[in-house]
Amino acid sequence: MRSSFLTVAVAAGIAVGLVSGADAAARKKAPDREYFEVSRMAPLTDKPGDPVNGKKVLRTTGLCLSCHTAPIPEEPDHGDVAPDLAGVGSRLQPAEMRMRIVDPKVLFPDTIMPSFHKKEGLNRVAKAWEGKTILTAQEVEDVVAYLSTLK
Ligand code: HEC
């Protein structure tokens, strides 16, 4: 009698453990509040972005086209390891694009895309780049303004 009570108690304990484990896994997978907060990043500057300069940054300093394809026919080489940026202005809000450029690793920890406006928490930074970002705040805004025109 006593042993069957124990068996039931242990089984119930395991069941509760399993259910709360499954719960935790579900919570981890669902896009949570934090995702929505970080993916809506406010503008980095007061000056609105300049799409013409943004397109230039995309092709030069940003090296975005080494991974991405974009609707820039005058550029001969485009990468194909990242999503085509055509139509990105319809898929993503400016605040979401900004987050992906500033620090994509917050959203996609394993991404190969560099963090273009992050100074801390980077690995093996060359001396010349210590404390510097790849793009300035204004350049990030310019790129976001350009990408927003790609509807
Ligand atoms: C080393 C490769 C690489 C470089 C360089 C790179 N990206 Fe990306 N980018 C990616 C990958 C891969 C993804 C897909 C999501 C992921 O894995 O992060 C992505 C995703 C994006 C997205 C989201 C696209 C979508 O449709 O969801 C945007 C916007 C973006 N990149 C913009 C840029 C801009 C702007 C630059 C240059 C300043 C740039 N990327 C440079 C690899 C790169």
Side-chain angles (χ1 to χ4, degrees), residues 62-64 67-68 82-83 91 100-101 108 111-114 116 143:
L63 292 176
C64 314
C67 292
H68 288 275
R91 291 196 296 277
R100 279 166 172 76
I101 297 166
F108 309 105
T111 188
I112 54 167
M113 179 161 156
F116 285 93
V143 170

Side-chain angles (χ1 to χ4, degrees), residues 54 57-59 61-68 81-89 91-92 96-98 100-101 104-105 107-114 116 134-135 139-140 143-144 146-147:
V57 170
L58 200 101
R59 300 177 64 182
T61 340
L63 292 176
C64 314
L65 300 182
S66 58
C67 292
H68 288 275
V81 299
D84 190 340
L85 293 175
V88 71
R91 291 196 296 277
L92 298 176
E96 295 170 313
M97 293 193 248
R98 186 175 293 116
R100 279 166 172 76
I101 297 166
K105 287 171 181 62
L107 298 170
F108 309 105
D110 301 327
T111 188
I112 54 167
M113 179 161 156
F116 285 93
I134 304 173
L135 298 182
E139 284 170 334
V140 172
V143 170
V144 169
Y146 168 66
L147 293 179

Side-chain angles (χ1 to χ4, degrees), residues 5 45 55 87 106 128:
F5 170 76
T45 61
K55 182 175 180 183
V106 173

